[in-house]
Amino acid sequence: MRRAVIIAAAIVVLVIATQLLVPPYLEHRAEKRLTSNGGHAQVTIDAVPAVRLLFNDGSKIKVRGDGLHVDLLNGNGNGQVFGELDRFNQADVRLTSMSAGPFAVRQVTIVRHSSSDPYALVISASVTARALSSYAGNEVAGPFGGLVGRLASGVVPFSAEPIPVEVDANIRSRDGRPEIESVDGSVAGVSAGPLATAIASAIADRL
């Protein structure tokens, strides 16, 4: 009987310790990764009991950020970049005043209400021909590289006039790999699908 009580007490202590330590650790890690190139971020993770997080299972992740920068050179959607978001049943990511490669992003949201739903992505941004021309000189592979190349060749070179970018897309995660289900929006007449995938992947990969 005494042994059973000791084991039960140890389990309770372990559960409490996990609840107190695991979510803050994961929140701090995500905040540090998001702000590695500057800006501010706050990450909140819900999971009861928190031991679920050790088995890639959580209730909700909420992310707020401002002034962040993400690099899109590798944001072509080939990796399992949605793995961290996928571990949560719900996701609510809202970032403002950030830069993503050559794009100045006023606001981007990534929201999922349940694990069976796709991620709803909304982007409000702009880009200049000057920034595109400079960025096109980098080694950008995949569909996003093709998008940048097409845009850079189709706009007035070195113009500082901002080109508006408004995108509304649904992205389904297939084992952590993003796939566009639907997209509404274009950049200078070119479908914004690759851009949506690149930005969503770059953000998700930092969590």
Side-chain angles (χ1 to χ4, degrees), residues 20-35:
L20 292 175
L21 298 176
V22 175
Y25 166 75
L26 294 178
E27 291 167 352
H28 176 72
R29 186 185 71 170
E31 290 169 356
K32 187 175 181 180
R33 286 165 61 104
L34 284 166
T35 60

Side-chain angles (χ1 to χ4, degrees), residues 95-112:
L95 308 176
T96 58
S97 302
M98 65 177 291
S99 61
F103 295 86
V105 181
R106 290 183 295 277
Q107 184 173 3
V108 57
T109 65
I110 304 174
V111 176
R112 185 173 73 165

Side-chain angles (χ1 to χ4, degrees), residues 82 85-86 91 110-112 117-121 169-173:
F82 270 65
L85 278 181
D86 286 349
I110 304 174
V111 176
R112 185 173 73 165
D117 293 335
Y119 293 94
L121 171 71
N170 286 325
I171 299 179
R172 178 76 63 178
S173 176

Side-chain angles (χ1 to χ4, degrees), residues 25-131:
Y25 166 75
L26 294 178
E27 291 167 352
H28 176 72
R29 186 185 71 170
E31 290 169 356
K32 187 175 181 180
R33 286 165 61 104
L34 284 166
T35 60
S36 61
N37 292 320
H40 306 277
Q42 182 177 14
V43 178
T44 304
I45 289 174
D46 293 333
V48 180
V51 70
R52 295 165 53 194
L53 294 169
L54 302 179
F55 300 93
N56 294 324
D57 181 30
S59 298
K60 182 177 181 178
I61 182 170
K62 179 181 176 181
V63 181
R64 297 293 183 267
D66 180 76
L68 305 178
H69 171 76
V70 293
D71 186 4
L72 301 183
L73 285 176
N74 295 317
N76 52 27
N78 288 332
Q80 295 179 333
V81 293
F82 270 65
E84 288 296 321
L85 278 181
D86 286 349
R87 71 197 296 181
F88 299 96
N89 187 48
Q90 299 179 17
D92 183 359
V93 180
R94 302 174 190 271
L95 308 176
T96 58
S97 302
M98 65 177 291
S99 61
F103 295 86
V105 181
R106 290 183 295 277
Q107 184 173 3
V108 57
T109 65
I110 304 174
V111 176
R112 185 173 73 165
H113 298 293
S114 74
S115 57
S116 61
D117 293 335
Y119 293 94
L121 171 71
V122 178
I123 300 170
S124 179
S126 64
V127 67
T128 66
R130 180 180 299 169

